[in-house]
PDB file of all heavy atoms in Angstrom:
ATOM      1  N   GLY A 525      22.201  23.531  -1.256  1.00  0.00           N
ATOM      2  CA  GLY A 525      21.434  22.652  -2.072  1.00  0.00           C
ATOM      3  C   GLY A 525      22.396  21.805  -2.882  1.00  0.00           C
ATOM      4  O   GLY A 525      23.306  21.240  -2.416  1.00  0.00           O
ATOM      5  N   GLY A 526      22.234  21.750  -4.192  1.00  0.00           N
ATOM      6  CA  GLY A 526      23.123  21.060  -4.991  1.00  0.00           C
ATOM      7  C   GLY A 526      22.474  20.654  -6.268  1.00  0.00           C
ATOM      8  O   GLY A 526      21.830  21.370  -6.903  1.00  0.00           O
ATOM      9  N   MET A 527      22.645  19.375  -6.699  1.00  0.00           N
ATOM     10  CA  MET A 527      22.120  18.946  -8.019  1.00  0.00           C
ATOM     11  C   MET A 527      20.609  19.118  -8.024  1.00  0.00           C
ATOM     12  O   MET A 527      19.931  18.441  -7.369  1.00  0.00           O
ATOM     13  CB  MET A 527      22.596  17.554  -8.274  1.00  0.00           C
ATOM     14  CG  MET A 527      22.248  17.105  -9.687  1.00  0.00           C
ATOM     15  SD  MET A 527      22.762  15.353  -9.950  1.00  0.00           S
ATOM     16  CE  MET A 527      21.534  14.515  -9.029  1.00  0.00           C
ATOM     17  N   ARG A 528      20.152  20.009  -8.847  1.00  0.00           N
ATOM     18  CA  ARG A 528      18.667  20.196  -9.070  1.00  0.00           C
ATOM     19  C   ARG A 528      18.513  20.207 -10.619  1.00  0.00           C
ATOM     20  O   ARG A 528      19.143  20.982 -11.300  1.00  0.00           O
ATOM     21  CB  ARG A 528      18.189  21.462  -8.485  1.00  0.00           C
ATOM     22  CG  ARG A 528      17.442  21.372  -7.228  1.00  0.00           C
ATOM     23  CD  ARG A 528      16.297  20.396  -7.242  1.00  0.00           C
ATOM     24  NE  ARG A 528      15.067  21.051  -7.738  1.00  0.00           N
ATOM     25  CZ  ARG A 528      14.575  20.772  -8.865  1.00  0.00           C
ATOM     26  NH1 ARG A 528      15.077  19.873  -9.687  1.00  0.00           N
ATOM     27  NH2 ARG A 528      13.466  21.335  -9.250  1.00  0.00           N
ATOM     28  N   SER A 529      17.560  19.521 -11.045  1.00  0.00           N
ATOM     29  CA  SER A 529      17.358  19.423 -12.476  1.00  0.00           C
ATOM     30  C   SER A 529      18.614  19.119 -13.187  1.00  0.00           C
ATOM     31  O   SER A 529      18.901  19.680 -14.248  1.00  0.00           O
ATOM     32  CB  SER A 529      16.726  20.775 -13.022  1.00  0.00           C
ATOM     33  OG  SER A 529      15.532  21.026 -12.326  1.00  0.00           O
ATOM     34  N   PHE A 530      19.361  18.198 -12.565  1.00  0.00           N
ATOM     35  CA  PHE A 530      20.613  17.715 -13.206  1.00  0.00           C
ATOM     36  C   PHE A 530      21.632  18.810 -13.345  1.00  0.00           C
ATOM     37  O   PHE A 530      22.397  18.845 -14.329  1.00  0.00           O
ATOM     38  CB  PHE A 530      20.327  16.998 -14.521  1.00  0.00           C
ATOM     39  CG  PHE A 530      19.282  15.973 -14.369  1.00  0.00           C
ATOM     40  CD1 PHE A 530      18.164  16.013 -15.227  1.00  0.00           C
ATOM     41  CD2 PHE A 530      19.266  15.034 -13.398  1.00  0.00           C
ATOM     42  CE1 PHE A 530      17.193  15.049 -15.101  1.00  0.00           C
ATOM     43  CE2 PHE A 530      18.271  14.069 -13.282  1.00  0.00           C
ATOM     44  CZ  PHE A 530      17.249  14.107 -14.129  1.00  0.00           C
ATOM     45  N   GLU A 531      21.740  19.618 -12.334  1.00  0.00           N
ATOM     46  CA  GLU A 531      22.864  20.622 -12.299  1.00  0.00           C
ATOM     47  C   GLU A 531      23.809  20.252 -11.150  1.00  0.00           C
ATOM     48  O   GLU A 531      23.358  19.751 -10.139  1.00  0.00           O
ATOM     49  CB  GLU A 531      22.298  21.984 -12.035  1.00  0.00           C
ATOM     50  CG  GLU A 531      21.815  22.686 -13.305  1.00  0.00           C
ATOM     51  CD  GLU A 531      21.678  24.141 -13.082  1.00  0.00           C
ATOM     52  OE1 GLU A 531      21.326  24.510 -11.947  1.00  0.00           O
ATOM     53  OE2 GLU A 531      21.813  24.880 -14.000  1.00  0.00           O
ATOM     54  N   MET A 532      25.083  20.593 -11.360  1.00  0.00           N
ATOM     55  CA  MET A 532      26.063  20.395 -10.231  1.00  0.00           C
ATOM     56  C   MET A 532      26.080  21.528  -9.458  1.00  0.00           C
ATOM     57  O   MET A 532      25.994  22.724  -9.992  1.00  0.00           O
ATOM     58  CB  MET A 532      27.422  20.077 -10.883  1.00  0.00           C
ATOM     59  CG  MET A 532      27.519  18.678 -11.408  1.00  0.00           C
ATOM     60  SD  MET A 532      27.157  17.432 -10.123  1.00  0.00           S
ATOM     61  CE  MET A 532      28.535  17.742  -9.064  1.00  0.00           C
ATOM     62  N   GLY A 533      26.317  21.432  -8.160  1.00  0.00           N
ATOM     63  CA  GLY A 533      26.525  22.609  -7.307  1.00  0.00           C
ATOM     64  C   GLY A 533      27.942  22.717  -6.916  1.00  0.00           C
ATOM     65  O   GLY A 533      28.701  21.825  -7.059  1.00  0.00           O
ATOM     66  N   ALA A 534      28.244  23.883  -6.365  1.00  0.00           N
ATOM     67  CA  ALA A 534      29.658  24.060  -5.992  1.00  0.00           C
ATOM     68  C   ALA A 534      30.008  23.402  -4.760  1.00  0.00           C
ATOM     69  O   ALA A 534      29.242  23.361  -3.829  1.00  0.00           O
ATOM     70  CB  ALA A 534      29.817  25.630  -5.812  1.00  0.00           C
ATOM     71  N   LEU A 535      31.218  22.951  -4.613  1.00  0.00           N
ATOM     72  CA  LEU A 535      31.762  22.412  -3.362  1.00  0.00           C
ATOM     73  C   LEU A 535      32.979  23.178  -3.020  1.00  0.00           C
ATOM     74  O   LEU A 535      33.661  23.660  -3.817  1.00  0.00           O
ATOM     75  CB  LEU A 535      32.065  20.866  -3.570  1.00  0.00           C
ATOM     76  CG  LEU A 535      30.831  20.040  -3.483  1.00  0.00           C
ATOM     77  CD1 LEU A 535      31.185  18.632  -3.839  1.00  0.00           C
ATOM     78  CD2 LEU A 535      30.172  20.079  -2.168  1.00  0.00           C
ATOM     79  N   PRO A 536      33.287  23.218  -1.706  1.00  0.00           N
ATOM     80  CA  PRO A 536      34.422  24.104  -1.311  1.00  0.00           C
ATOM     81  C   PRO A 536      35.744  23.460  -1.732  1.00  0.00           C
ATOM     82  O   PRO A 536      36.038  22.317  -1.576  1.00  0.00           O
ATOM     83  CB  PRO A 536      34.339  24.017   0.253  1.00  0.00           C
ATOM     84  CG  PRO A 536      33.535  22.796   0.609  1.00  0.00           C
ATOM     85  CD  PRO A 536      32.599  22.538  -0.576  1.00  0.00           C
ATOM     86  N   GLN A 537      36.587  24.317  -2.294  1.00  0.00           N
ATOM     87  CA  GLN A 537      37.948  24.048  -2.588  1.00  0.00           C
ATOM     88  C   GLN A 537      38.192  22.652  -3.185  1.00  0.00           C
ATOM     89  O   GLN A 537      38.852  21.821  -2.639  1.00  0.00           O
ATOM     90  CB  GLN A 537      38.832  24.202  -1.363  1.00  0.00           C
ATOM     91  CG  GLN A 537      38.751  25.629  -0.872  1.00  0.00           C
ATOM     92  CD  GLN A 537      39.801  25.924   0.194  1.00  0.00           C
ATOM     93  OE1 GLN A 537      40.621  25.058   0.524  1.00  0.00           O
ATOM     94  NE2 GLN A 537      39.648  27.105   0.829  1.00  0.00           N
ATOM     95  N   GLY A 538      37.537  22.390  -4.301  1.00  0.00           N
ATOM     96  CA  GLY A 538      37.685  21.113  -4.882  1.00  0.00           C
ATOM     97  C   GLY A 538      38.971  20.961  -5.714  1.00  0.00           C
ATOM     98  O   GLY A 538      39.565  22.024  -6.097  1.00  0.00           O
ATOM     99  N   GLY A 539      39.451  19.813  -5.833  1.00  0.00           N
ATOM    100  CA  GLY A 539      40.520  19.573  -6.724  1.00  0.00           C
ATOM    101  C   GLY A 539      40.118  19.260  -8.084  1.00  0.00           C
ATOM    102  O   GLY A 539      39.015  19.516  -8.480  1.00  0.00           O
ATOM    103  N   GLN A 540      40.981  18.702  -8.855  1.00  0.00           N
ATOM    104  CA  GLN A 540      40.596  18.367 -10.268  1.00  0.00           C
ATOM    105  C   GLN A 540      39.752  17.124 -10.317  1.00  0.00           C
ATOM    106  O   GLN A 540      40.067  16.201  -9.690  1.00  0.00           O
ATOM    107  CB  GLN A 540      41.835  18.193 -11.070  1.00  0.00           C
ATOM    108  CG  GLN A 540      41.592  18.362 -12.589  1.00  0.00           C
ATOM    109  CD  GLN A 540      42.417  19.375 -13.161  1.00  0.00           C
ATOM    110  OE1 GLN A 540      43.427  19.630 -12.563  1.00  0.00           O
ATOM    111  NE2 GLN A 540      42.096  19.859 -14.288  1.00  0.00           N
ATOM    112  N   GLY A 541      38.661  17.140 -11.061  1.00  0.00           N
ATOM    113  CA  GLY A 541      37.836  15.940 -11.075  1.00  0.00           C
ATOM    114  C   GLY A 541      37.244  15.701 -12.570  1.00  0.00           C
ATOM    115  O   GLY A 541      36.922  16.650 -13.218  1.00  0.00           O
ATOM    116  N   GLN A 542      37.338  14.491 -12.982  1.00  0.00           N
ATOM    117  CA  GLN A 542      36.882  14.204 -14.336  1.00  0.00           C
ATOM    118  C   GLN A 542      35.622  13.291 -14.218  1.00  0.00           C
ATOM    119  O   GLN A 542      35.637  12.282 -13.599  1.00  0.00           O
ATOM    120  CB  GLN A 542      37.968  13.415 -15.088  1.00  0.00           C
ATOM    121  CG  GLN A 542      37.565  12.993 -16.504  1.00  0.00           C
ATOM    122  CD  GLN A 542      37.514  14.215 -17.424  1.00  0.00           C
ATOM    123  OE1 GLN A 542      38.194  15.177 -17.097  1.00  0.00           O
ATOM    124  NE2 GLN A 542      36.784  14.139 -18.465  1.00  0.00           N
ATOM    125  N   GLY A 543      34.578  13.745 -14.878  1.00  0.00           N
ATOM    126  CA  GLY A 543      33.310  12.976 -14.741  1.00  0.00           C
ATOM    127  C   GLY A 543      33.270  11.775 -15.720  1.00  0.00           C
ATOM    128  O   GLY A 543      34.023  11.697 -16.679  1.00  0.00           O
TER     129      GLY A 543
END
Side-chain angles (χ1 to χ4, degrees):
M527 189 180 72
R528 255 308 273 112
S529 299
F530 308 128
E531 276 195 329
M532 285 301 296
L535 282 173
Q537 298 189 9
Q540 199 126 20
Q542 180 73 24

